[in-house]
Amino acid sequence: MPEVKMRTISYSTAINEALHEEMERDEKVFLMGEDVALSAISPATAGLGDRFGHERVRNTPISELGFTGAAVGAAMAGYRPVLDMRRIDFMMLAIDPIANQAAKLRYMLGGQVSVPLVIRAPEGGYSQNGPTHSQCLEAWFIQVPGLRVIVPSDPADVKGLLKSAIREDNPVLFVEYRSLYSLEGPVPEGDHTEPIGKAAVKKEGADITLIGIGSQARSCLEAAELLAGEGVDAEVVDPRTINPLDVEGLAASVRKTGKCVVAEEGHKSGGVGAEIAASVQEAAFGSLKAPIVRVAALDVPVPVHTKLEAIVLPSTEKIVAAAKKLLA
Amino acid sequence: MSEEKASLSDERMQAMYRDMLRIRRFEETAFELFENGEVVGGIHVSIGQEACSVGACSTLREDDAILTTHRGHGHSIAKGTRLPEMMAELLGKATGLCHAKGGSMHIADVSKGHYGAHSIVGSNMPMAVGIGLAFHFEGKGQAAVVFFGDGAANEGSFHESVNLASIWKLPVIFFCENNHFASSTRVGYATSVADISARAGGYDIPGVTVDGMDVLAVHEVMVEAVDRARRGLGPSLIEAKTYRYFGHSRKDPQFGPYRTEDEWNEWKAKDPLLVAEEILGVSEAQKKAHLDAVEDELQDALAFARQSPEPEPDDVYEDLYA
Ligand SMILES: Cc1ncc(C[n+]2csc(CCOP(=O)(O)OP(=O)(O)O)c2C)c(N)n1
Ligand SMILES: [Mg+2]
């Protein structure tokens, strides 16, 4: 096998590369969103307007419902729209075309259409943007059969999974974590794709499984490092996609360690962690030596104040504390 | 001299000028504090748009309502929002209007009829319709004014709200501050009509475009709209053409790639404070006295904010449920 060359790039550069490459590869791919055509606004879309022109990189008015519905229509008509929501909070104005239409059309119309749509939804806090600009809402969308939901946590995955999402024939909610945008990491050169529906072991270990979603996969890796200093060998697993959820991939790790913490940036109640904990215990109950513990945002809005925000949101320290309690 | 000006006492005109100055100096101070890292979260300043805030709010009673946007400091001040508590909110203090939960984008002072800045674009308009409905039920002749940007006029919520207010003849004034940009997007690209006020025609309500750099012109059209609202004749749409002097928000440079310094200078020549000095008849001595008074007020507000305590950890659970 030829050796894969790696180089280090940021999460946002990886998104940018994936968009450039897929637009180059397939002329049916086009972009829409507020301020996407202007390079200075987001590093993820920088250069695309200049490279592909404003027919295929379309600035929209502030009309989330309108342009998302339009994307569903264009997808039915054979195109592959990629939307930029800027923040998932703004996507709430477009729930109808996503949940009532895109997710259900193929099923409802007896398979006559498919909706190959990608909705890029940057999200998350740690930046004092307050209750309406900090939310992590992927949990809402695992309640919607017909959507794929992808939650990449590092540059290699965000690139590989975005490319796969654009080639996927189903509507995809592609969540990006704003707090990871400047994270650097190794990414293979060339046409790098990652499979949708496969978890990844990010660090092997024997004593406890830390499952992290999105930004919290990163926190779990940091937690594992801190735990190593105290003689604990933690395994970190990233589901990477939460619909489909690779239950077997997660359960395999839990069968080995017998203990599990699930961490996510969204709220605890009805969260992705709740779904993972339920699925993993169904698959690996016999191996569990203790209940699965969830680390998540408190069930209150994310306040703007730095100190209060830190109390509400999950962190490496909270994951370490949860793990130590389980191991005690 | 316009009729409206004739009916305004010199005292009121001086007060209008002072309010514009209060806004200008508040925003400049806030921006400095922001650059020094003292502000919690981001801010969007309204420098250049003071005539809109003051022209509009100078026609309102305390029991009238306003709702505003992420760029809402000016409207807040013009409606009588308490400055020390507003400053404390920017600095993330427990004494802040929103107890450091909402920050700059959610300034509210309901005791003064200010039902909040709302940071999701377009979200304030349906709520204004609801407040107008409550005022209709109450029958006390109150009006609800909702400020929004040129960008927000392209949200579905704008169209649904104007239609609702029209069919129910609600006392709502839709005040569009067309500052020519929504983030990096020019209004001409994103908007189907040259004048946003033309959209009133589709909903059978009065629509008017006014010079948003001229506080008296804004005041005049507002007087008429407020009168209609109080008399139960229904909503109005006002579009004030103005200009955003600063970048959109924290990361956007002043001249960005989407506008030129020449264009900026053209608008600056029509600065609303200069215009106001002339048409309201503010002398140099009066200007100096206003500036001194405003400076004192701002320094007091800042001192209050700086001396105020930070929120306590348990405050994260406060006010979630009634
Ligand atoms: C629903 C929604 N979409 C997008 C945004 C991001 N955003 C915040 S302000 C803004 C531009 C608003 O433009 P305009 O309405 O003209 O107000 P201005 O900033 O000029 O005062 C955008 C796109 C948002 N806050 N809410
Ligand atoms: Mg604007």
Side-chain angles (χ1 to χ4, degrees):
Chain A
M1 246 179 44
E3 205 181 309
V4 188
K5 273 210 193 127
M6 306 290 274
R7 72 257 137 81
T8 298
I9 58 173
S10 71
Y11 190 90
S12 58
T13 303
I15 296 167
N16 192 289
E17 279 190 2
L19 293 171
H20 268 97
E21 289 171 19
E22 291 307 296
M23 289 191 74
E24 202 74 66
R25 192 187 56 79
D26 182 353
E27 62 180 25
K28 296 281 189 191
V29 178
F30 72 99
L31 256 53
M32 288 197 283
E34 289 153 24
D35 305 293
V36 286
L38 212 79
S39 291
I41 302 296
S42 167
T45 47
L48 289 161
D50 293 339
R51 170 67 188 83
F52 298 102
H54 293 190
E55 271 294 312
R56 288 180 71 196
V57 181
R58 305 184 80 87
N59 258 357
T60 67
I62 314 178
S63 308
E64 292 82 5
L65 170 61
F67 73 70
T68 305
V72 176
M76 279 199 285
Y79 281 79
R80 292 184 172 270
V82 179
L83 299 183
D84 182 328
M85 285 294 168
R86 189 59 32 97
R87 288 182 193 272
I88 203 166
D89 316 74
F90 311 152
M91 197 184 81
M92 300 301 99
L93 277 72
I95 290 283
D96 172 64
I98 297 170
N100 286 334
Q101 319 308 334
K104 295 178 175 58
L105 276 165
R106 179 176 177 78
Y107 186 80
M108 201 158 57
L109 305 190
Q112 295 182 68
V113 297
S114 59
V115 184
L117 160 68
V118 176
I119 304 167
R120 292 182 41 241
E123 66 165 32
Y126 306 101
S127 52
Q128 296 81 53
N129 280 307
T132 59
H133 285 62
S134 306
Q135 300 174 89
C136 287
L137 298 172
E138 55 269 43
W140 293 17
F141 297 91
I142 57 175
Q143 271 282 312
V144 184
L147 290 182
R148 294 303 189 197
V149 184
I150 303 185
V151 290
S153 73
D154 62 32
D157 281 354
V158 83
K159 178 167 184 188
L161 285 164
L162 181 53
K163 285 169 71 84
S164 297
I166 293 171
R167 299 176 194 185
E168 162 83 22
D169 285 334
N170 294 296
V172 176
L173 174 60
F174 192 85
V175 177
E176 298 166 6
Y177 295 83
R178 294 175 71 97
S179 60
L180 299 180
Y181 258 43
S182 52
L183 174 74
E184 305 257 334
V187 178
E189 268 180 4
D191 186 27
H192 168 65
T193 60
E194 291 286 341
I196 294 173
K198 290 261 12 120
V201 175
K202 295 287 177 183
K203 176 197 167 290
E204 287 190 15
D207 298 338
I208 185 167
T209 300
L210 307 178
I211 299 176
I213 295 126
S215 62
Q216 299 314 297
R218 172 80 359 210
S219 305
C220 284
L221 280 169
E222 289 167 6
E225 228 166 87
L226 293 175
L227 288 165
E230 307 192 22
V232 175
D233 184 20
E235 177 148 301
V236 176
V237 190
D238 178 353
R240 304 200 294 177
T241 69
I242 53 176
N243 178 349
L245 182 64
D246 181 8
V247 176
E248 217 14 70
L250 304 176
S253 172
V254 174
R255 284 194 200 103
K256 187 169 72 173
T257 64
K259 292 182 176 167
C260 177
V261 173
V262 192
E264 71 186 300
E265 197 184 323
H267 298 295
K268 186 172 180 181
S269 295
V272 179
E275 176 59 30
I276 288 176
S279 299
V280 168
Q281 69 85 20
E282 278 172 1
F285 184 72
S287 312
L288 278 168
K289 299 188 192 106
I292 297 174
V293 172
R294 287 173 289 165
V295 174
L298 302 180
D299 287 336
V300 300
V302 183
V304 83
H305 193 277
T306 319
K307 208 170 71 185
L308 300 186
E309 184 185 42
I311 292 169
V312 170
L313 294 181
S315 64
T316 300
E317 292 68 32
K318 290 180 190 179
I319 295 166
V320 169
K324 280 164 96 173
K325 221 171 135 190
L326 259 186
L327 291 161
Chain B
M1 184 187 291
S2 74
E3 240 176 81
E4 205 43 57
K5 182 172 171 183
S7 73
L8 282 172
S9 66
D10 183 55
E11 199 186 332
R12 277 196 70 194
M13 291 198 286
Q14 295 295 329
M16 284 166 74
Y17 179 74
R18 191 168 56 243
D19 271 348
M20 292 176 69
L21 212 49
R22 289 171 78 222
I23 296 171
R24 173 73 51 101
R25 288 296 302 131
F26 182 92
E27 296 287 45
E28 286 170 350
T29 308
F31 198 78
E32 264 170 47
L33 293 167
F34 172 73
E35 295 211 299
N36 296 340
E38 259 189 272
V39 172
V40 172
I43 58 170
H44 304 77
V45 296
S46 65
I47 295 181
Q49 304 179 210
E50 295 88 347
C52 299
S53 294
V54 173
C57 292
S58 58
T59 64
L60 300 180
R61 313 192 304 227
E62 191 163 280
D63 69 343
D64 290 325
I66 66 158
L67 295 92
T68 175
T69 69
H70 56 283
R71 201 178 304 288
H73 298 166
H75 312 123
S76 305
I77 293 170
K79 189 63 174 63
T81 295
R82 292 162 288 164
L83 233 53
E85 286 82 358
M86 183 167 159
M87 192 65 94
E89 185 62 27
L90 296 196
L91 302 199
K93 297 304 179 78
T95 54
L97 288 163
C98 309
H99 300 185
K101 304 280 185 50
S104 159
M105 284 200 292
H106 300 99
I107 296 293
D109 193 350
V110 175
S111 72
K112 306 288 185 189
H114 181 357
Y115 282 84
H118 300 279
S119 63
I120 295 296
V121 169
S123 64
N124 57 3
M125 290 181 269
M127 293 189 280
V129 171
I131 291 173
L133 182 59
F135 287 172
H136 162 79
F137 290 144
E138 295 286 316
K140 293 178 190 154
Q142 293 156 277
V145 183
V146 58
F147 295 98
F148 59 100
D150 46 287
N154 295 320
E155 286 283 20
S157 65
F158 163 76
H159 297 271
E160 296 185 29
S161 299
V162 175
N163 186 57
L164 267 175
S166 174
I167 62 164
W168 289 339
K169 294 224 174 327
L170 297 178
V172 182
I173 295 156
F174 295 89
F175 194 107
C176 180
E177 245 165 80
N178 178 351
N179 64 7
H180 290 77
F181 304 99
S183 231
S184 76
T185 302
R186 295 189 78 95
V187 61
Y189 167 79
T191 315
S192 57
V193 284
D195 292 325
I196 290 168
S197 64
R199 290 186 172 172
Y203 303 98
D204 195 24
I205 67 169
V208 52
T209 294
V210 63
D211 177 359
M213 308 303 264
D214 178 341
V215 67
L216 221 47
V218 173
H219 180 90
E220 268 180 49
V221 297
M222 268 297 288
V223 164
E224 203 173 316
V226 170
D227 181 60
R228 268 179 63 80
R230 298 212 196 291
R231 291 197 289 136
L233 298 177
S236 306
L237 172 61
I238 292 170
E239 175 195 24
K241 294 227 160 101
T242 178
Y243 200 72
R244 191 189 77 208
Y245 284 12
F246 278 52
H248 168 69
S249 67
R250 59 171 128 182
K251 284 188 204 131
D252 185 28
Q254 191 155 19
F255 296 114
Y258 54 82
R259 64 172 165 192
T260 63
E261 199 166 341
D262 283 349
E263 177 184 285
W264 189 85
N265 280 326
E266 262 170 50
W267 281 93
K268 268 219 102 174
K270 300 182 269 199
D271 187 86
L273 280 146
L274 293 179
V275 173
E277 279 160 32
E278 195 173 311
I279 57 173
L280 299 177
V282 182
S283 69
E284 273 305 311
Q286 284 169 321
K287 183 176 163 186
K288 169 96 182 35
H290 288 315
L291 257 176
D292 289 346
V294 167
E295 225 39 61
D296 286 349
E297 186 191 11
L298 271 175
Q299 287 314 315
D300 287 351
L302 192 53
F304 170 84
R306 283 183 169 146
Q307 285 156 18
S308 290
E310 302 266 325
E312 295 292 329
D314 275 351
D315 291 348
V316 297
Y317 291 107
E318 173 205 55
D319 293 326
L320 183 58
Y321 298 105

